[in-house]
Amino acid sequence: MSLPSVPEPPSPHHGHTHGHTHAHGPAAPVSRHLRKVIAAVLIPFAAAVLTGLVALWPGGAPPHERTGVGFDRQTQQGKVVNVDTVDCKEVNASQMPVGGETAPQSSGRTGLCAKATVEVTTGHDKGRRFVEVVQPDAPRQLREGQGVVVAYAPDAPHDLQYSVTDVNRKFPMALLAGIFALVVVAVGRMRGVMALVALAVSFAVLTLFILPAILQGSNPLIVAVVGASAIMLIALYMCHGLTARTSVAVVGTLISLLLIGLLGSLFIGWASLTGNTDDSTGLIHGLYPRIDMSGLLLAGVIIGSLGVLDDVTVTQTSAVWELHQANPTMGVRGLYRAGIRIGRDHIASVVNTLVLAYAGAALPLLLLFSIARSSVGTVANSELVAEEIVRTLVGSIGLVASVPVTTVLAALVVSADRTGLGAEAGAPAPVRTGKGRRRRTRQ
C-alpha cells in the first residue's frame, strides 16, 4: 500500500537551492536608485555616439574615375555557353587574356587549352559574346553553363573589351548564409533572431557609415570609435535586453576599447607602420590620398577586437550575476575572486582563438616567408607581419584587461544593490551573525 507523499520540511540549505533555481532564469531587476546611476553614465555616452554619427555621417562614398585596376573595374555578369578543347598553339595561348590579365608572351605553349564562349548577361552589351582561352595550368577552369563575372574595359580594342575575371558564387554563398540563419534561429530561438538582426545592423553601420566616412576624409580612428560604439550599443542591448547586466558589459567593453585604441595608436606610431603594405591598400591610397592609412590600420584593430570583446564582457557579467544569485551573501571580494577564476579559463581560450584567427588570415604570407627560408627575426620585422603582430597583441591585451575590469564592475554593481536584488526577487534579506553565517528567520 502506497503512502501519500508528505512535503519535506525546509532544510537549512533550502534558501541556497531556491537561489540557484533562479540563476537559470532572467536576471532580477535592480533597484530604481542603481538604474538611475547606470543611466547617468550610459545616456551621455549614447548621446555622444549619436552626435558623432550625425556629425560624421558621410551621405555616401565620394565618386571617382575608375582606374580599371583590381576591384576598381567595371564588371558585368556573364555565362559560359560553350567550351571547346583546342591545341594551345593554334590559339596562341601565351598572348591571350587570362582572367582579365595578359599573359607574358613566349614562343607558344604546348598542350590542350579550353576555348570558352562567354555571353554577357547584364549591362548595355547584354547578349554580346566573346572568347576566353584558359590555359591547362590555370588555377580557374571554366565549364559550360557556369556563371562568371566579366570585366569591361571600354578603352580596349573591341575584341578585348570583355574578359572573365571571376566565377559567380552568389548561390552557394546565399545558401550557406541561409543555413547559418536557420541554425542560429533553431538553437537560439528568439535570441537567435535578435542576434541576426543585430548582425544586419552591424553590417549596415559598417557599410553606410564607417567605410564612406573614411573615404570622405574623416579621421579613421574617430570614425572607428564612433561606429564601434554604435554597433556595441545596438548589438548588446538588442541581444541581451535593456538591463543593468547588459549595461555593465557595455561599460566594460567601452573601457577595453579605449585601452586598445591608446595602445594601438602608441605602437603603430612607434613601430612606424604605414598601413600601406599591399596592392589593395596601395590602390586605396592612390584613389584617396587624403586617407590616413596608419589610422585606417588602427581602425581595423578596434573594429576587429569588438566582436570578441562583446563575448568576454557579457560572459563575465553573467557569471558574476549568477554567482550572486546562487549565494547572495557573497561580497565584492568574494564575487571578484570567483568571477576571475572563471575569467582565467576564458582568457586562455579567447587569446588563442584571436591569435589563430589572425595567423590563419596571414597563412599564405607566412608560407611565402617559409619558402624563402627567412629567419624569425626577419619575418617579424617586415611590415606585413609586424602589422599582424601589433594587431594581435594589442587586441589580446584589451581582451585580457576586459576580464578583471568587467568582473570588478559587475561585482560592485550587484553588491551595491544587494537589498534591491533580494527584495525584488522575492527572497528574504539575509541576516548576518558575528561569524558571517546566514540565520534563518522564524516563520
Side-chain angles (χ1 to χ4, degrees), residues 52-89:
L53 287 173
V54 173
L56 298 173
W57 193 262
H64 70 276
E65 295 269 342
R66 288 190 177 271
T67 62
V69 179
F71 289 105
D72 196 41
R73 289 184 285 188
Q74 298 183 41
T75 59
Q76 300 292 343
Q77 299 298 314
K79 183 179 180 180
V80 180
V81 295
N82 185 44
V83 177
D84 294 323
T85 302
V86 296
D87 190 342
C88 292
K89 289 184 177 180

Side-chain angles (χ1 to χ4, degrees), residues 11 31 42 45 61 80-81 117 176 190 195 214-215 244 266 305 319 321 343 374 421 440:
S11 65
S31 66
L42 290 178
F45 170 61
V80 180
V81 295
T117 303
L176 182 59
M190 194 59 199
I214 291 175
L215 291 178
L266 173 63
S305 303
W321 241 263
S374 301
L421 278 171
R440 192 160 51 89

